[in-house]
Amino acid sequence: LRAFGSDTRLPTVALVVDLLRERGAVSRVELAEATGLTRATMTNAVRRLISLGFVREVGTARSQRGTPRRLLELQPDACHMVGLQFDRFRGVGVIVDLAGRIAARRELPVVGERRPDEVVPELAAAVDEMIAASAVARGDIRGIGLATYGPQDRDAGVLLTPQPTSEWQGYPLAAALAESTGLRVAIENDATAAGIGAQHLGAAPSSFAVVYMSGGIGGGLIIDGHPYRGAASNGLELGHISVDPSGPVCDCGNRGCLDNVASPVAVSSLARRTSLAARLGLGADPLEGFDLLARAAAEGDSEAAELIEASVQHLAAATVTLVNLLDVSSVVLAGSAFTESGGRYRDAAQEVLDRSVFMRHVHSVSVELAGDVAHAAAVGAAMVVLRNLLESPNIGDRSARGR
Ligand SMILES: [Zn+2]
């Protein structure tokens, strides 16, 4: 873990949990040294975590001067969070423990063009079923993180877009799900959540850009370990950057948007107008169709390969723009659309970045798939719940109890 600048410093308790998750058993002195915090501050943070049962003393180690130091270890089972990710095409749920490990997972009902008052009770039922099917006690669940598309008002827990139907705009999404489940609910942008999830699912660096692909294409950014949320929790609107200024006008008002040439929705829709529709049995579900096309392309179907390759190259070119704008040295791909074809998208983006990113002579840029592309956003949403809990000022404070 790197040192944080004062303006981005995490609350101590959250920082200690991150360090223990990363390093295993360590002493208070090591924690103080690693964070640059005083021993008194560290002792206070550790006391709070022990009183919550999140951290335990697990024996001693001898220091260089021979003084025994008590070692501390995270208790992963002491706390669990639910993470959900949905858009109109796909939805998955996970239960994640304090260490960021997935304790349970399931698919969620598909939203399609349905209204929120129809969907929310189904999400609540899916959460109930997932908890019941897991080994986790309901009382140990600290809340639900819900990752979905932006723009959003995270504080109010509402979406600021009439997608997929007008009823969703301003609908009290977080409040309604909290009411149906009895659990706290926090909403998060799906691409941003995928970035947070990637940090817990693999060795993501402290700063990186996220390319998120479900039916459409989005983006996210993690800076020094912290998500960049912009003004409206919309992530980076990668799908609506213009890749062809004289291209057709998009619904968004811009011309030649990436989404309209490279997204699984666009690729599937193009394929349905060709002989591929009958040959591969393409149905209405764009992600299912996209996976069928990707598989056919990998198996040598030239017509499918042409469509997939056009998407691959457009996305790679957009990734160069993303990296040129942000000067990151790492890009992470996440989202269910990368389940089947992620390797091809990664390889092509890497190749194009290696030969065309402006800063390539100064530093390299790596492209990686998130540890679990289809669940990264759900895991990240769950970790947002934990982060909110650890950042609350009175966490584990005995004097604040019973109020
Ligand atoms: Zn657009």
Side-chain angles (χ1 to χ4, degrees):
L1 207 80
R2 46 178 293 166
F4 289 91
S6 57
D7 54 339
T8 58
R9 184 178 296 237
L10 279 173
T12 314
V13 174
L15 193 54
V16 172
V17 169
D18 282 350
L19 268 171
L20 288 170
R21 192 187 293 127
E22 221 168 85
R23 299 192 178 186
V26 287
S27 69
R28 288 173 181 77
V29 175
E30 282 172 276
L31 285 170
E33 281 166 1
T35 54
L37 296 162
T38 65
R39 287 192 198 183
T41 305
M42 189 53 68
T43 301
N44 181 37
V46 167
R47 188 188 303 124
R48 287 168 182 237
L49 286 167
I50 288 176
S51 90
L52 287 164
F54 288 10
V55 166
R56 200 160 61 102
E57 290 186 335
V58 287
T60 55
R62 217 152 269 287
S63 71
Q64 282 165 349
R65 272 172 294 171
T67 345
R69 290 172 174 177
R70 274 175 290 183
L71 294 176
L72 303 160
E73 203 175 64
L74 213 55
Q75 299 299 296
D77 287 338
C79 146
H80 288 84
M81 297 73 60
V82 170
L84 306 178
Q85 173 271 320
F86 78 85
D87 52 40
R88 74 172 82 176
F89 307 107
R90 279 288 182 282
V92 292
V94 294
I95 298 176
V96 174
D97 71 12
L98 189 54
R101 300 177 309 195
I102 299 176
R105 66 177 86 203
R106 61 160 287 159
E107 285 192 15
L108 300 176
V110 172
V111 172
E113 308 292 319
R114 295 185 299 146
R115 291 171 8 187
D117 53 1
E118 205 179 320
V119 172
V120 166
E122 290 183 11
L123 292 177
V127 168
D128 288 344
E129 286 167 24
M130 188 165 60
I131 296 172
S134 75
V136 180
R138 194 179 180 93
D140 290 339
I141 304 276
R142 305 297 173 126
I144 300 173
L146 178 56
T148 189
Y149 46 89
Q152 310 172 335
D153 181 338
R154 293 178 64 247
D155 292 335
V158 303
L159 304 184
L160 303 175
T161 171
Q163 304 289 335
T165 68
S166 59
E167 290 86 357
W168 286 84
Q169 180 152 14
Y171 178 82
L173 183 57
L177 187 59
E179 170 83 11
S180 312
T181 57
L183 293 165
R184 282 169 188 240
V185 178
I187 66 168
E188 183 59 88
N189 177 272
D190 46 17
T192 306
I196 298 167
Q199 293 177 296
H200 294 281
L201 287 163
S206 57
S207 299
F208 59 97
V210 178
V211 173
Y212 185 81
M213 193 157 82
S214 176
I217 299 167
L221 180 61
I222 303 290
I223 311 168
D224 289 344
H226 294 260
Y228 170 74
R229 293 189 168 108
S233 191
N234 195 49
L236 310 177
E237 197 49 85
L238 191 62
H240 294 277
I241 62 167
S242 180
V243 290
D244 178 8
S246 56
V249 175
C250 173
D251 288 344
C252 78
N254 199 2
R255 268 186 184 279
C257 290
L258 177 69
D259 236 21
N260 296 336
V261 290
S263 71
V265 166
V267 172
S268 296
S269 142
L270 277 173
R272 277 199 299 272
R273 284 178 242 151
T274 70
S275 66
L276 284 161
R279 197 158 78 244
L280 302 181
L282 300 178
D285 182 332
L287 282 177
E288 224 169 77
F290 182 72
D291 281 351
L292 284 172
L293 287 162
R295 219 169 299 149
E299 286 163 4
D301 184 310
S302 61
E303 208 178 355
E306 200 178 315
L307 287 173
I308 294 289
E309 262 322 285
S311 162
V312 162
Q313 294 304 328
H314 277 300
L315 193 69
T319 305
V320 171
T321 301
L322 189 65
V323 170
N324 279 346
L325 287 173
L326 301 170
D327 191 23
V328 285
S329 55
S330 172
V331 177
V332 171
L333 308 183
S336 54
F338 289 121
T339 306
E340 191 70 37
S341 55
R344 177 64 200 128
Y345 279 90
R346 179 199 54 212
D347 293 350
Q350 185 69 67
E351 199 183 303
V352 175
L353 287 167
D354 285 347
R355 68 164 186 264
S356 54
V357 157
F358 190 82
M359 294 294 273
R360 67 189 179 280
H361 302 299
V362 181
H363 64 78
S364 61
V365 181
S366 69
V367 186
E368 301 291 345
L369 291 164
D372 183 337
V373 287
H375 295 88
V379 170
M383 297 314 276
V384 167
V385 173
L386 177 63
R387 183 52 60 88
N388 290 346
L389 177 72
L390 296 178
E391 287 181 0
S392 57
N394 291 331
I395 180 173
D397 185 352
R398 285 201 175 90
S399 63
R401 284 198 176 173
R403 280 182 195 171

